[in-house]
Amino acid sequence: MQGWLRQAAGGLPRQFWFLWTGTLINRVGAFVVLFLSLYLTGERHFTQSQAGLVLGLYGVGGAIGTMAGGVLADRWGRRPTMLLAQFGAASLMLTLGFAHSYPQILVVTGLLGAFGEGVRPAFSAMMVDVVPERDRVRAYSLNYWAINLGFSLAAIAAGFAAQADFLLLFAIDAATTLVTATITLIFLKETRPARRPAPTGAAPTSGGGMFTALRDRTFLAFLLVNLLSVMVILQHWSTLPIAMQADGFSAATYGWVIAVNGIMIVSGQLFVPRLVEGRRSHRVLAVATLLIGVGFGLVAVAHAAWVYALTVVIWTLGEMLQSPSNAATVAALSPSALRGRYQGLNSLSWSIGTALAPVLGGLVLQGPGSTTLWTGCFAVCALAAAGHLLSGPARERRAALRRTEEAARIAAATPGRVVTTDLAPTT
């Protein structure tokens, strides 16, 4: 067990553990978004369409926040961007709890989405800055584990808090966000790489702002392929409960079936780095995407609760492989000067997937029907897996160039130091 713990968590930088601790604390208190729709319809007595508009504005604000946060992380710095977003989100969280009128709630929720999601690019960029490339899959697995553990605990605790007083949800969420902001303020140092002239022969994507990132075809192709699997995996909270309801299952049954996902991630995610160690990331992503496709495809023949649970087991295995490999790929493709922007674009692609998944899934379910939806999910994932395999060599070449650029940047910053292409410095 000690050997396994060392392999899973040993040797990571001190600053990473402060980031990890902040993630866990923030997720344990992430109550508001989980219960916002229930609060709006139950406590505030808004209609479902009104509640839907509020949630939609949160998503719009989040999309704007991720883009703005990515730009600020590169121009202003990771730490100040995180502090602005975290203190702003805590204030808005409490403000939303005291807002009563519908226009007030609309405005505050939109701003909350911008500040709440605006921290993500800076957080992710800082993690890339402090964790060497060879350790990133482990680091992302640990962070993903903390996210899911915190989410599971939050879902349980928020239920009890909501029974006492809905305002308690907003207060606890704001408090944990403030604790996370305090960790950022006291323990985290700025990690944004110093701006220096690009080394001779470097690709033009080494600088130039958001438009440069948007012209990076290798990165955009990766985001497009990943978006396909995102739209499939997000069916678990949109069309999957509808399919189970059509089969006569209650909301409680859906609850324990989907709980398998969280249980597997919390109990098994830390074994993933050893499983994928030494394997090419595009092949891991291809296998992960196929597992997701198989899991959702089998929903077409699932009519018993245990079969639904089995489908969750299969696509969760794919999700566990995909998440850290996906994050490590984004990090490897990002030039150091534009890490915030690249992370912002990656977050934006997930926001787009979150918006498209329920709409497209609902249209297919209502039109051609359930069988078409789930077999279509498998077909989309098979296409995405092929995309990973076909575009993998180009990604590897781009990642090798990024390593060379980063080694040259570090060497220029510290004359007399030799830096290997895996960014492990030696004198």
Side-chain angles (χ1 to χ4, degrees):
M1 180 60 72
Q2 286 182 333
W4 170 72
L5 284 173
R6 281 195 298 271
Q7 289 175 345
L12 291 169
R14 182 170 175 262
Q15 184 140 328
F16 163 79
W17 289 110
F18 287 127
L19 287 168
W20 183 90
T21 302
T23 295
L24 182 59
I25 293 172
N26 194 36
R27 290 291 176 170
V28 168
F31 291 173
V32 170
V33 176
L34 278 176
F35 280 74
L36 187 56
S37 59
L38 293 177
Y39 168 75
L40 294 171
T41 55
E43 188 76 4
R44 293 301 175 202
H45 307 293
F46 295 140
T47 65
Q48 291 181 343
S49 60
Q50 287 177 316
L53 181 58
V54 172
L55 294 173
L57 274 180
Y58 181 91
V60 171
I64 295 172
T66 56
M67 297 298 288
V71 173
L72 287 175
D74 288 333
R75 289 188 176 180
W76 191 20
R78 288 40 161 152
R79 184 171 175 269
T81 302
M82 290 169 64
L83 288 171
L84 174 65
Q86 289 165 342
F87 280 115
S91 302
L92 288 163
M93 201 83 67
L94 209 53
T95 303
L96 183 58
F98 287 102
H100 295 284
S101 71
Y102 188 63
Q104 285 178 332
I105 290 175
L106 281 173
V107 172
V108 176
T109 302
L111 291 172
L112 178 61
F115 280 84
E117 301 299 320
V119 72
R120 295 182 185 276
F123 176 92
S124 299
M126 181 176 281
M127 188 173 292
V128 177
D129 294 339
V130 302
V131 178
E133 184 176 10
R134 61 180 177 270
D135 294 326
R136 284 175 189 161
V137 171
R138 288 196 301 130
Y140 285 120
S141 290
L142 285 163
N143 193 61
Y144 191 57
W145 181 84
I147 289 172
N148 281 274
L149 177 61
F151 178 83
S152 301
L153 295 175
I156 297 171
F160 289 108
Q163 288 179 348
D165 188 352
F166 265 105
L167 183 59
L168 193 59
L169 295 179
F170 296 91
I172 295 176
D173 202 329
T176 54
T177 304
L178 279 176
V179 171
T180 305
T182 303
I183 291 173
T184 302
L185 181 65
I186 297 175
F187 297 106
L188 295 183
K189 299 178 181 179
E190 179 55 56
T191 62
R192 180 171 63 104
R195 295 180 179 273
R196 295 181 178 275
T200 303
T205 52
S206 295
M210 185 61 74
F211 287 110
T212 299
L214 290 171
R215 290 195 298 268
D216 188 340
R217 295 181 180 179
T218 302
F219 181 66
L220 293 181
F222 166 75
L223 291 184
L224 179 60
V225 171
N226 187 60
L227 178 61
L228 295 176
S229 59
V230 168
M231 288 192 295
V232 171
I233 203 168
L234 290 177
Q235 299 301 319
H236 78 273
W237 62 269
S238 56
T239 54
L240 182 60
I242 297 174
M244 292 188 64
Q245 185 182 50
D247 268 343
F249 295 109
S250 66
T253 303
Y254 167 74
W256 76 256
V257 165
I258 205 65
V260 172
N261 173 259
I263 293 169
M264 286 184 62
I265 292 173
V266 171
S267 60
Q269 187 65 46
L270 299 186
F271 294 96
V272 169
R274 184 65 183 271
L275 184 64
V276 302
E277 185 180 2
R279 305 183 188 278
R280 294 185 173 181
S281 63
H282 65 278
R283 293 179 180 174
V284 174
L285 287 170
V287 172
T289 304
L290 272 180
L291 284 171
I292 292 170
V294 170
F296 280 96
L298 287 175
V299 176
V301 296
H303 300 292
W306 71 268
V307 181
Y308 277 108
L310 178 61
T311 68
V312 173
V313 169
I314 296 172
W315 61 256
T316 298
L317 289 172
E319 182 186 2
M320 291 167 67
L321 292 173
Q322 183 198 53
S323 180
S325 299
N326 178 78
T329 299
V330 174
L333 295 176
S334 307
S336 59
L338 301 178
R339 280 174 182 158
R341 291 170 172 86
Y342 274 63
Q343 294 292 343
L345 285 173
N346 182 53
S347 297
L348 179 63
S349 71
W350 278 84
S351 298
I352 293 171
T354 302
L356 290 179
V359 174
L360 296 178
L363 288 173
V364 175
L365 192 61
Q366 186 175 347
S370 179
T371 301
T372 302
L373 172 63
W374 303 119
T375 55
C377 285
F378 172 75
V380 168
C381 283
L383 178 63
H388 281 302
L389 292 176
L390 291 173
S391 59
R395 284 185 224 155
E396 288 186 342
R397 291 191 295 270
R398 178 59 58 83
L401 177 61
R402 294 291 179 240
R403 286 192 292 270
T404 302
E405 291 176 358
E406 182 69 358
R409 184 190 67 78
I410 295 174
T414 54
R417 201 181 198 188
V418 177
V419 185
T420 62
T421 54
D422 67 353
L423 304 185
T426 56
T427 302

